[in-house]
Amino acid sequence: MRAVRFETGGVVKIVQIPDPRPGPEEVLVQVHAAGVCRTDLHLLDQLKASERKPLVPGHEIAGRVSKIGADVYATNVGDRVVVHFEQPCGQCRQCRRMRTNLCEKGHSLGFDAPGGYAEFVVAKQNTVLPLPPNLDPAMGAPLGCSGATAYRSVVALGHADEDDLVVVIGAGGVGLSAIQIARVQGARVLAVDPREEARKAALDSGAQSAAPPQEAESAAKDLAANEGVDLVIDLVGTRATFDLGRSLLRFGGRFVAVAPGKESVSVTANDLVEGGRAYLGSYSSTMADLARVIALAEAGRLHPVVTRRAPLEDAAEVLGDLRAGKIVGRAVLFPGPMNP
């Protein structure tokens, strides 16, 4: 089959590799659409620095079940599905507590197992969910990461509620989904992004206001009537965005960090205790998160913002445009027909 492989030195290459075969409890999915996430750039950078072995990336996947293993009972050949990239072991302490995003022994498609930048991918049967008939694969694929990640940060951890003021820092693919999910919860939203086109997309996605970072404090004060912000979702992960988010929080406010970052930040006991503020880290998502965003999308209440569609062969160009900030929302690659 054809696949994109990230190779040593940061090379993005189209290769021919053997077709994968599903195990007894696995399904083989013909990939119809694969979302391009900014995390893929981090993986590529690790290959450039020789910190990771070559891999087939892609962790936002929608397609059709092509083959099933002998012990598969949850899906059938021909089913259209969204694939969750986390492939938990189902046995460790975290899995037993339904925190499969923190699985200690599993693997992740597109990270340490072949992902969706390919014609086929193998997944465990309990990590695929039906793709609703009213959603095309290009809209379904981003739900597997950007949608589910947004839900986990805004609802499962952030507890966004009616009349809350939510600040979303970073109006990329995850951020635009986070805005829509916060609005579903009845919250008001301020989006923060330096790019004018991203701020426009944020407003189109339902944000009450959108501002560049240097105007965020003023915009938040206008929306909050000087009472502060209930929830900050940081999708950038720099010291500057952490300090901005911390400065906005009201008593009882929650700061949820979603993007990894290497810059050190400083938190004192006073930051944690004064006013009952909370600082949380959101890692990946669970099947429950994915199920909820699929339901929202099916109901027309969540619309992944897909602004670029390209064949698999254009992966290097699309990744370059993403790095250059030229893509608002999500880009989606098609290993096969552009309209599967």
Side-chain angles (χ1 to χ4, degrees):
M1 69 174 182
R2 289 180 308 115
V4 167
R5 189 162 61 203
F6 288 178
E7 302 197 328
T8 302
V11 176
V12 180
K13 187 177 180 180
I14 292 285
V15 295
Q16 287 284 341
I17 59 177
D19 290 353
R21 294 183 179 181
E25 297 184 3
E26 295 177 328
V27 298
L28 179 68
V29 177
Q30 182 181 9
V31 179
H32 287 170
V36 180
C37 180
R38 184 163 290 275
T39 303
D40 297 334
L41 295 179
H42 299 320
L43 297 176
L44 193 57
D45 290 341
Q46 290 174 352
L47 264 296
K48 289 180 181 178
S50 298
E51 296 174 352
R52 178 182 286 271
K53 294 180 180 179
L55 78 154
V56 175
H59 57 276
E60 295 187 341
I61 306 164
R64 190 180 298 276
V65 176
S66 177
K67 293 181 181 179
I68 62 175
D71 296 330
V72 169
Y73 58 85
T75 190
N76 297 297
V77 171
D79 288 352
R80 298 194 327 149
V81 295
V82 178
V83 180
H84 197 294
F85 66 97
E86 297 287 10
Q87 303 286 293
C89 71
Q91 299 174 349
C92 70
R93 184 171 184 266
Q94 301 292 359
C95 284
R96 293 197 305 271
R97 295 188 173 198
M98 305 303 292
R99 298 191 294 191
T100 53
N101 57 312
L102 304 178
C103 175
E104 300 165 359
K105 299 179 181 179
H107 59 273
S108 302
L109 303 180
F111 292 87
D112 52 13
Y117 284 17
E119 293 181 294
F120 295 94
V121 68
V122 167
K124 294 185 177 183
Q125 65 169 327
N126 59 355
T127 63
V128 301
L129 290 174
L131 176 66
N134 63 331
L135 293 182
D136 71 64
M139 299 296 284
L143 298 175
C145 174
S146 66
T149 297
Y151 187 91
R152 182 151 200 83
S153 61
V154 173
V155 181
L157 289 179
H159 302 295
D161 205 349
E162 189 174 358
D163 293 330
D164 277 357
L165 176 56
V166 177
V167 173
V168 176
I169 303 177
V174 181
L176 296 175
S177 290
I179 290 165
Q180 296 177 60
I181 292 168
R183 295 291 291 132
V184 169
Q185 296 296 108
R188 295 165 295 144
V189 180
L190 165 64
V192 179
D193 198 290
R195 300 170 297 166
E196 182 178 358
E197 62 272 23
R199 297 196 299 273
K200 181 181 184 303
L203 294 172
D204 291 342
S205 294
Q208 275 76 13
S209 181
Q214 65 272 21
E215 298 175 13
E217 290 192 38
S218 175
K221 287 180 180 178
D222 289 342
L223 284 175
N226 291 322
E227 293 182 355
V229 170
D230 298 284
L231 173 62
V232 174
I233 305 295
D234 183 5
L235 297 160
V236 179
T238 65
R239 182 185 298 126
T241 56
F242 178 85
D243 289 342
L244 171 61
R246 176 169 53 183
S247 73
L248 300 177
L249 286 183
R250 67 185 300 173
F251 279 15
R254 289 89 63 201
F255 180 101
V256 180
V258 184
K262 295 184 178 179
E263 291 184 293
S264 61
V265 296
S266 176
V267 179
T268 67
N270 283 343
D271 292 325
L272 301 175
V273 175
E274 178 68 23
R277 297 177 178 89
Y279 295 84
L280 305 167
S282 181
Y283 181 78
S284 191
S285 60
T286 67
M287 288 298 292
D289 300 321
L290 178 57
R292 291 183 174 98
V293 294
I294 290 175
L296 289 176
E298 184 178 20
R301 307 195 71 186
L302 173 61
H303 302 273
V305 179
V306 176
T307 59
R308 179 82 170 270
R309 302 181 183 220
L312 190 66
E313 288 76 10
D314 290 354
E317 177 185 341
V318 171
L319 288 161
D321 287 346
L322 178 62
R323 190 184 296 276
K326 296 179 180 179
I327 296 175
V328 174
R330 268 295 186 262
V332 175
L333 299 176
F334 294 82
M338 296 282 284
N339 295 296

